[in-house]
Amino acid sequence: MAILAGPLALAEAQPVSLSGSTISAEVQQRKANRDRLFAQAKKRKTGVPATPGQLSRERERKLAQRLSNRKMLAMHPRWEPGVLGGSEKMLNRVREKRRVRESQTKLRTVLQRLKSQLGKPYQWGGASPHEGFDCSGLVFYAFNHVLEQKLPRTANSMFQDNRLKRVQQQHLKKGDLIFFNINQRPGADHVGVYLGEGQFIEAPRTGLTIRISQLTSDFWQQRYLGARRVL
């Protein structure tokens, strides 16, 4: 039994050795394939220049894709090339809100400029803090600082200015111009700026200072001509 054991063991060992060689060759082949793939990927990363034909085909592909995208957008119910479509109302609301904010900012500036002149003496023909103000000069100074289209210089010219919106007394808002006839000559000869709550600021006449007056008083109601909205 001992004599037979040697040859049998040898015969069984030989296939194991061959199998190991086969496995080693497969491993080496896989490694070679992997190295080749890594080399190809590295070559692509380094940016190998494309041929003119490849560049032309790529441009054609991108152009076709853009045309396809445009066709899809054109079929959308809220989209038309060059037109806002369903978003137009939203844009109009945004513009209106912006316009209101700008108008409110201008109004605050106007009221600040007016109130900073309170107590200064009336000066006929005056239109600056240094020389003083008459009634229309005060309005001219306060408003034209924030307006692109300037107001005229005299009270009656402001009253007759067709660019300004006519306003009923019961609908007065802060910043509206209010006009009076004091001397019983045709047209407006006095102007003030409405401040709200029945009050307005004015440069009254020689001997008095710029002040806040009450529109509801009998004196002013009897001489009231109308109002115009600037902002």
Side-chain angles (χ1 to χ4, degrees), residues 16-32:
V16 173
S17 176
L18 290 172
S19 177
S21 299
T22 302
I23 292 172
S24 177
E26 291 178 353
V27 170
Q28 290 177 0
Q29 184 61 45
R30 286 198 297 271
K31 183 177 183 302

Side-chain angles (χ1 to χ4, degrees), residues 136-206:
S136 58
L138 178 63
V139 173
F140 189 86
Y141 163 79
F143 277 90
N144 281 350
H145 180 72
V146 300
L147 298 178
E148 293 181 4
Q149 295 185 351
K150 309 304 183 184
L151 291 173
R153 175 61 179 84
T154 66
N156 194 52
S157 296
M158 293 177 189
F159 184 62
Q160 302 294 340
D161 194 334
N162 292 327
R163 297 173 303 168
L164 306 183
K165 179 182 177 181
R166 296 173 182 267
V167 182
Q168 298 296 321
Q169 188 172 344
Q170 63 269 28
H171 297 143
L172 286 172
K173 292 183 179 181
K174 289 181 180 181
D176 288 345
L177 305 185
I178 50 178
F179 296 89
F180 307 90
N181 181 279
I182 306 296
N183 299 314
Q184 298 182 347
R185 290 192 295 267
D189 54 21
H190 189 61
V191 60
V193 180
Y194 190 68
L195 300 177
E197 300 181 351
Q199 295 182 327
F200 69 99
I201 189 169
E202 59 159 340
R205 59 179 173 81
T206 302

Side-chain angles (χ1 to χ4, degrees), residues 15-54:
V16 173
S17 176
L18 290 172
S19 177
S21 299
T22 302
I23 292 172
S24 177
E26 291 178 353
V27 170
Q28 290 177 0
Q29 184 61 45
R30 286 198 297 271
K31 183 177 183 302
N33 292 341
R34 188 167 59 249
D35 291 344
R36 186 172 65 256
L37 291 173
F38 285 158
Q40 291 174 352
K42 184 176 180 181
K43 191 176 181 181
R44 285 194 297 270
K45 269 188 178 180
T46 56
V48 177
T51 65
Q54 290 174 329

Side-chain angles (χ1 to χ4, degrees), residues 71-221:
K71 288 180 181 179
M72 292 178 64
L73 287 171
M75 291 187 293
H76 195 283
R78 292 185 60 193
W79 175 268
E80 294 179 15
V83 179
L84 291 170
S87 301
E88 189 170 359
K89 290 182 179 179
M90 182 180 295
L91 181 60
N92 288 338
R93 288 197 294 270
V94 171
R95 286 174 173 168
E96 178 61 19
K97 288 181 180 179
R98 183 184 302 165
R99 187 193 65 79
V100 170
R101 285 197 301 269
E102 290 175 352
S103 180
Q104 290 173 342
T105 299
K106 290 179 180 179
L107 177 59
R108 285 194 296 269
T109 300
V110 167
L111 296 180
Q112 289 171 358
R113 287 170 71 85
L114 287 169
K115 292 178 179 179
S116 67
Q117 305 306 314
L118 283 170
K120 292 187 178 181
Y122 175 95
Q123 176 62 49
W124 188 86
S128 75
H130 304 294
E131 61 181 341
F133 298 95
D134 58 16
C135 67
S136 58
L138 178 63
V139 173
F140 189 86
Y141 163 79
F143 277 90
N144 281 350
H145 180 72
V146 300
L147 298 178
E148 293 181 4
Q149 295 185 351
K150 309 304 183 184
L151 291 173
R153 175 61 179 84
T154 66
N156 194 52
S157 296
M158 293 177 189
F159 184 62
Q160 302 294 340
D161 194 334
N162 292 327
R163 297 173 303 168
L164 306 183
K165 179 182 177 181
R166 296 173 182 267
V167 182
Q168 298 296 321
Q169 188 172 344
Q170 63 269 28
H171 297 143
L172 286 172
K173 292 183 179 181
K174 289 181 180 181
D176 288 345
L177 305 185
I178 50 178
F179 296 89
F180 307 90
N181 181 279
I182 306 296
N183 299 314
Q184 298 182 347
R185 290 192 295 267
D189 54 21
H190 189 61
V191 60
V193 180
Y194 190 68
L195 300 177
E197 300 181 351
Q199 295 182 327
F200 69 99
I201 189 169
E202 59 159 340
R205 59 179 173 81
T206 302
L208 298 178
T209 61
I210 296 173
R211 66 187 184 185
I212 293 176
S213 300
Q214 196 70 32
L215 178 60
T216 54
S217 72
D218 291 341
F219 177 86
W220 293 114
Q221 285 298 308

